[in-house]
Structures are given as structure tokens and as C-alpha cells.
């Protein structure tokens, strides 16, 4: 069943059970696991590790590319395995443990983790657990539906466990472009000149002697949890399409726009779907996660090429794509996340970055991570990599949440992930605020007039006018700046009824 996937004969003897492989992970280790946004994670070994920890407690530091699928973060958390976790997660059980202080979570820009490993700024990886579709005749690793940080984990780790996942199709071979930057200060420029530029190898080149175990699995990736577009997300998409039309009319963009990046989740995916019926053509993507909307754009004849670090699809879209994968393969590439998210490349290509905010304030500061300033949701992910360096840094969100109890536009954000200096465009279903070239007071006026839900507009105007009366370049009333958040914690609503 798997001999065509383990092509170096000397490695056939390394095949073992998931339980035996999990036994190679020792208490106190730093473990790097494959997986980026519920795609391409090792599946059998972490499950076996959680089961083992129920009988023989141990704790590790776990690094991944981004979030894991198949409830693995939940299982590892409940088994007490996670002492430290980085750089991103989306699991509700792990989130509670993080906010309770039981798991130390390090929230990082996704381009930074392996950079810090490579330069020995954080503890080295003792062991890597990497999902693959095959091992080549040279002992190199052919990854599956994500690259993420897997390549660098395998290269930098002392030992490697490989999961050969039979549910991942061999057609994935040839999709990857594995390029690892050289060490500072003699590093050369990263020669990605277009979205479709290939600069690396199709497999991760490691010494096969590092492979201490091979586990055969047969479990698919978790399907994406994105919801279909609704009236609000369609309105957000319509506002953006109108904005892009104006940019084309003004000569700042062509009808092919610039390479697109979209963050994960329902809103960003829905916004990208909105381009299907737009007048724009010959589009390209240079993004992190390729979602359903990527393939909708391919099928609509709108998209020419897409570069990412993983593919995360709904069950329906996964079945459609992989029933005829060769129809798309020549127009796709998966890269390490430090390349998909690299500031140098993002700035060179002129990316249009579209990411999701939890909330933003009068002056354009964006909170992507913390509820009421303290409780972690998921993490900053790659949004900061793109916001700081994009040709256009766009953040989208619905104007209200929890049935109107929460306004997504507030006097002052309770936590800052992206400062006003990195934010160009803000969009809600109400409208779009173009903040380019505006001073703080002008930005506030544009945001209030265009993005705020009508039920909150009067209150926000009142706050802003009172703050302006006190003066200052960025007017605030410090005693009242976070009053809405205090009200939310005390009463469940931002404004008194």
C-alpha cells in the first residue's frame, strides 16, 4: 500500500505504529509539527501522543505553521501535553487554557517563527513530525496540502518523524516550491518576481538518517469551516469592488489589480467570492491560505495563478478540486510561510492585502486578536506581515456583533495589532473609509461617516466631538476611551439601553 510512497529502500525498516512514534517524544521537548490552517498537519502521531499522556503525563512546547485540524489542539490540551504553543491556533479548548494561563501562548507574525529558530533566538526544535505524501529516492520529503513551517522544522530538528498520509493524493507531488533563505548577514535577495515564480525544490532536502520513524496514516484534512456569503459580506465585497473600479479609473490600478492576499475565515473568503462577478480579469494571488474562493475565481475564468502556503477547502470544494486536480495544478504553488509572508516579497509584488479585524477605532488602529483587550481569540497570523508591507492594507469586518450588543468600531481599540500607520482602507457592510493621506481627525471623520452602524454613530460622534474640544493631534478622553468595553464586560452591551 505504501511502497510507492517510500522510495528509499533503506527507510522501509523505519515504519512503525503511531504509538511507537509518539514514544519518541519526551517530556520537555520542543516539537515542530506540520500543519497550516487545518491543512497538512500530522494526524496519527499527535493523537497517539495525547492518548499516551493520559497514562504517562508529559509536556512539550509545540510549534506549528498555524492552526491544526482534526481537533488535535483540543486533544493535546485536554491531555495536558501543551506547556507552550506557538504561533497561531483556533481551537476553543486551547483558547480557554491560554486565557486561563494554563498554556503559555506566543502569538507571532507567521513569517517570524522559523527566522527566530534559524538565528537561535528561541529554543531549537528537538523533533519534527511532518505529514508527507511521499519520501523520494534521495530520502527527501514531499509535503501534502501545506508547507507552512514544515520544511524548516525538518531541516533544523535533530530528528524527524514522517507521517505518510495515504488519503493525500500523489498528484500533490510537484506542487511545492521549497526555498529556504540563507543566514544573515550574507543573505541574498529572495528572487520571487511574480506570483508564479518558482525558486526552490519540489521536496524538503534532509539527511534521511535523521528520520527516526515513519507512520502510515489515512485520515483526510478537516474541512474548512467558512460559511457562504451573506448580505453583509456581499455588501463589504460590493464596497471593495467599487473602490477598485475607482482605483482603475484613476490610473492607480489596472483591470488586473495587483496580486491579492486574503486572510482566513468567512468574511475574507466571501469578499474574494465577490470578485467573481466583478469586471476585473487576469487576476493573481500571492497569499497564505488558498480557500474555496480561489477555486471559484479559477472556475469563473478570473484568476490566472495562485501562490499560497496551504489549501484549506470545504468538503464540497475539496471533492470538486481533487476529482480533477490536474486542471488546476499548473496554476498553483505552495511555499514555506516565511516566503509567502515575507516582507521583501510582499513589498516588491505590490500585494493588495485583505484581512479581518475584530474591531478598529476612530483613527484606524486595528485589533485582530483580543476580546476586551485581554482574551485571546486566535492570533495575529500573517495579517501583520501583509499590513505593514502591502500596496494596499485593507481590513474588513461587520459593523456590529452579538445582535448589535457590540460595535466593531470603537473610540479606542482595547488591544492594538496594526497601528493606524499600517492601515489604508477600512470596510464594513455600511461603507468604506479610505484613510490614505488623512490626518487623525480626518481619518476619524471618514470612519464615522462611512463605517459605523447607525445605532452607534451618534455615540461615536459625541465622543469624538468632546475629545476634539480638549484638543490634541489624536484627540481622546482617556477616562472614557475604553468605557464601551467596560460596559460590555459589566452589562453585556457596549451602550447603555
Amino acid at each position: 500500500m505504501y511502497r510507492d510512497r517510500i522510495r528509499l529502500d533503506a527507510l522501509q525498516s523505519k515504519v512503525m505504529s503511531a504509538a511507537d512514534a509518539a514514544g519518541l517524544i519526551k517530556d520537555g521537548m520542543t516539537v515542530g509539527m506540520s500543519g497550516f490552517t487545518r491543512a497538512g498537519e500530522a494526524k496519527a502521531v499527535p493523537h497517539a501522543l495525547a492518548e499516551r499522556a493520559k497514562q504517562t503525563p508529559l509536556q512539550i512546547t509545540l510549534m506549528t505553521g498555524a492552526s491544526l485540524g482534526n481537533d488535535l489542539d483540543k486533544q493535546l490540551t485536554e491531555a495536558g501535553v501543551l506547556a507552550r504553543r506557538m504561533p497561531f491556533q483556533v481551537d476553543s479548548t486551547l483558547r480557554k487554557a491560554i486565557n486561563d494561563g494554563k498554556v503559555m501562548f506566543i502569538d507571532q507574525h507567521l513569517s517570524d517563527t522559523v527566522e527566530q529558530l534559524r538565528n537561535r533566538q528561541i529554543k531549537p526544535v528537538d523533533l519534527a513530525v511532518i505529514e508527507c505524501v511521499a519520501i523520494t529516492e534521495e530520502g527527501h520529503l514531499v509535503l501534502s496540502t501545506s508547507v507552512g513551517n514544515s520544511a524548516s522544522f525538518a531541516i533544523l530538528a535533530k530528528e524527524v518523524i514522517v507521517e505518510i498520509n495515504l488519503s493525500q493524493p500523489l498528484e500533490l507531488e510537484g506542487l511545492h516550491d521549497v526555498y529556504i533563505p540563507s543566514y544573515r548577514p550574507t543573505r541574498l535577495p529572495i528572487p520571487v518576481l511574480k506570483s508564479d515564480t518558482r525558486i526552490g525544490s519540489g521536496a524538503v532536502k534532509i539527511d534521511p538518517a535523521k528520520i527516526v520513524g515513519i507512520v502510515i496514516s489515512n485520515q483526510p484534512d478537516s474541512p474548512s469551516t467558512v460559511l457562504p456569503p451573506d448580505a453583509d459580506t456581499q455588501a463589504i465585497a460590493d464596497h471593495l469592488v467599487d473602490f477598485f473600479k475607482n482605483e482603475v479609473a484613476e490610473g492607480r490600478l489596472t483591470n488586473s489589480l495587483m496580486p491579492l492576499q486574503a486572510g482566513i475565515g468567512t468574511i475574507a473568503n466571501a469578499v474574494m467570492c465577490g470578485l467573481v462577478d466583478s469586471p476585473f480579469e487576469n487576476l493573481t494571488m500571492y497569499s497564505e491560505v488558498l480557500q474555496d474562493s480561489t477555486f471559484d475565481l479559477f472556475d469563473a475564468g478570473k484568476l490566472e495563478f495562485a501562490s499560497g502556503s496551504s489549501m484549506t477547502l470545504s468538503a464540497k470544494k475539496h471533492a470538486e478540486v481533487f476529482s480533477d486536480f490536474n486542471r488546476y495544478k499548473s496554476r498553483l504553488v505552495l511555499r514555506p510561510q516565511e516566503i509567502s509572508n515575507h516582507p521583501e516579497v510582499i513589498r516588491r509584488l505590490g500585494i493588495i492585502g485583505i484581512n479581518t479585524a475584530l474591531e478598529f477605532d476612530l483613527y484606524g488602529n486595528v485589533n485582530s486578536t483580543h476580546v476586551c483587550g485581554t482574551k485571546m481569540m486566535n492570533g495575529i497570523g500573517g495579517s501583520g506581515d501583509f499590513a505593514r508591507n502591502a500596496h494596499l492594507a485593507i481590513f474588513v469586518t461587520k459593523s456590529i456583533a452579538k445582535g448589535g450588543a457590540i460595535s466593531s468600531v470603537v473610540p479606542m481599540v482595547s488591544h492594538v495589532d496594526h497601528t493606524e500607520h499600517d492601515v489604508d482602507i477600512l470596510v464594513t457592510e455600511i461603507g468604506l473609509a479610505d484613510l490614505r493621506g488623512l490626518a487623525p481627525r480626518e481619518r476619524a471623520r471618514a470612519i464615522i461617516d462611512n463605517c459605523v452602524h447607525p445605532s452607534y454613530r451618534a455615540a461615536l460622534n459625541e465622543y469624538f466631538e468632546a475629545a476634539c474640544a480638549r484638543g490634541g493631534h489624536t484627540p481622546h478622553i482617556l477616562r472614557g476611551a475604553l468605557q464601551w468595553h467596560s460596559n460590555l464586560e459589566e452589562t453585556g452591551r457596549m451602550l447603555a439601553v
Side-chain angles (χ1 to χ4, degrees):
M1 291 174 60
Y2 56 80
R3 289 187 179 275
D4 62 331
R5 297 191 180 228
I6 305 175
R7 300 168 193 158
L8 179 60
D9 288 341
L11 291 177
Q12 296 284 344
S13 62
K14 297 291 181 71
V15 175
M16 61 179 63
S17 70
D20 287 343
L24 300 173
I25 300 174
K26 308 300 182 185
D27 184 49
M29 273 188 168
T30 296
V31 178
M33 287 189 183
S34 63
F36 190 103
T37 316
R38 298 163 61 88
E41 76 276 356
K43 299 170 178 69
V45 173
H47 174 73
L49 180 63
E51 291 300 307
R52 172 188 160 207
K54 294 175 183 178
Q55 307 300 322
T56 307
L58 80 160
Q59 288 198 311
I60 63 171
T61 293
L62 176 61
M63 299 180 182
T64 59
S67 55
L68 300 178
N70 286 285
D71 288 332
L72 291 174
D73 271 323
K74 172 183 171 68
Q75 294 174 38
L76 292 168
T77 302
E78 290 177 341
V81 173
L82 301 181
R84 305 176 75 80
R85 179 75 170 87
M86 60 196 300
F88 188 82
Q89 56 76 44
V90 299
D91 182 79
S92 59
T93 299
L94 175 55
R95 182 183 302 131
K96 184 177 187 305
I98 290 167
N99 289 321
D100 289 345
K102 295 177 181 177
V103 176
M104 296 296 104
F105 179 58
I106 299 90
D107 182 24
Q108 289 187 306
H109 296 300
L110 293 188
S111 66
D112 277 356
T113 306
V114 297
E115 194 76 272
Q116 292 187 359
L117 280 173
R118 187 180 296 117
N119 293 286
R120 297 180 297 169
Q121 294 171 314
I122 55 179
K123 287 185 177 180
V125 175
D126 297 301
L127 187 146
V129 186
I130 309 296
E131 179 177 273
C132 298
V133 298
I135 302 174
T136 70
E137 292 82 356
E138 298 80 21
H140 300 162
L141 309 182
V142 181
L143 301 173
S144 62
T145 45
S146 71
V147 180
N149 285 327
S150 300
S152 288
F153 288 159
I155 290 166
L156 296 171
K158 303 179 183 76
E159 298 177 323
V160 178
I161 296 170
V162 177
E163 274 197 27
I164 300 291
N165 190 339
L166 303 181
S167 77
Q168 298 280 28
L170 276 172
E171 286 85 354
L172 289 167
E173 190 166 3
L175 185 65
H176 313 95
D177 185 53
V178 179
Y179 177 88
I180 306 298
S182 55
Y183 283 82
R184 297 163 174 163
T186 57
R187 178 178 297 175
L188 297 174
I190 296 170
V192 174
L193 304 180
K194 297 189 300 179
S195 294
D196 61 357
T197 304
R198 285 179 173 270
I199 59 175
S201 62
V204 182
K205 298 178 180 180
I206 63 169
D207 180 353
K210 292 172 59 171
I211 299 175
V212 294
I214 300 173
V215 174
I216 309 301
S217 66
N218 194 355
Q219 185 173 349
D221 288 336
S222 296
S224 162
T225 57
V226 297
L227 299 173
D230 59 24
D232 287 342
T233 57
Q234 184 60 54
I236 292 171
D238 291 344
H239 294 316
L240 266 177
V241 167
D242 287 344
F243 168 76
F244 291 145
K245 286 179 181 177
N246 186 66
E247 291 295 287
V248 173
E250 293 292 332
R252 290 189 286 266
L253 290 174
T254 70
N255 209 46
S256 298
L257 305 180
M258 301 281 251
L260 300 164
Q261 175 265 334
I264 64 168
T266 295
I267 296 179
N269 185 69
V271 168
M272 294 301 292
C273 285
L275 294 173
V276 168
D277 296 320
S278 74
F280 310 114
E281 297 178 325
N282 303 314
L283 301 172
T284 59
M285 291 187 71
Y286 192 86
S287 193
E288 307 161 289
V289 184
L290 307 183
Q291 303 180 85
D292 285 17
S293 55
T294 302
F295 295 91
D296 291 337
L297 287 166
F298 274 136
D299 293 341
K302 295 289 187 179
L303 187 63
E304 295 290 310
F305 196 90
S307 170
S309 193
S310 77
M311 292 189 297
T312 303
L313 305 175
S314 66
K316 180 176 182 291
K317 185 61 67 175
H318 185 277
E320 292 173 0
V321 168
F322 283 97
S323 67
D324 188 14
F325 187 63
N326 288 327
R327 185 158 68 98
Y328 303 100
K329 186 173 177 178
S330 64
R331 295 182 287 168
L332 295 169
V333 65
L334 295 184
R335 310 179 190 275
Q337 68 195 66
E338 67 171 321
I339 304 301
S340 69
N341 291 39
H342 202 287
E344 173 195 338
V345 180
I346 293 167
R347 184 158 290 199
R348 176 185 299 130
L349 298 186
I351 304 299
I352 296 174
I354 304 170
N355 289 284
T356 305
L358 280 181
E359 63 179 4
F360 55 84
D361 67 23
L362 284 172
Y363 303 110
N365 300 292
V366 172
N367 172 15
S368 296
T369 57
H370 285 73
V371 175
C372 286
T374 60
K375 294 183 179 179
M376 170 61 66
M377 280 293 291
N378 301 328
I380 193 170
S383 56
D385 297 321
F386 287 92
R388 174 59 60 90
N389 301 287
H391 173 75
L392 286 170
I394 300 169
F395 283 90
V396 298
T397 186
K398 295 185 179 185
S399 65
I400 54 174
K402 301 295 183 183
I406 296 172
S407 173
S408 299
V409 191
V410 294
M412 178 186 284
V413 288
S414 56
H415 177 91
V416 181
D417 291 296
H418 315 285
T419 75
E420 60 188 282
H421 310 291
D422 298 335
V423 179
D424 297 315
I425 309 293
L426 294 171
V427 195
T428 69
E429 80 281 7
I430 305 300
L432 180 148
D434 184 349
L435 307 181
R436 295 173 297 176
L438 301 184
R441 294 185 189 218
E442 296 169 318
R443 293 163 75 92
R445 190 76 274 144
I447 290 168
I448 294 172
D449 291 347
N450 292 287
C451 296
V452 179
H453 192 274
S455 61
Y456 284 88
R457 191 171 293 143
L460 208 49
N461 263 319
E462 181 181 351
Y463 173 86
F464 178 56
E465 290 166 4
C468 287
R470 294 193 176 197
H473 177 249
T474 306
H476 268 304
I477 304 170
L478 293 184
R479 287 186 179 273
L482 295 175
Q483 187 61 53
W484 290 16
H485 298 88
S486 297
N487 292 343
L488 180 63
E489 288 190 326
E490 294 167 7
T491 70
R493 300 188 66 83
M494 282 191 164
L495 296 183
V497 178

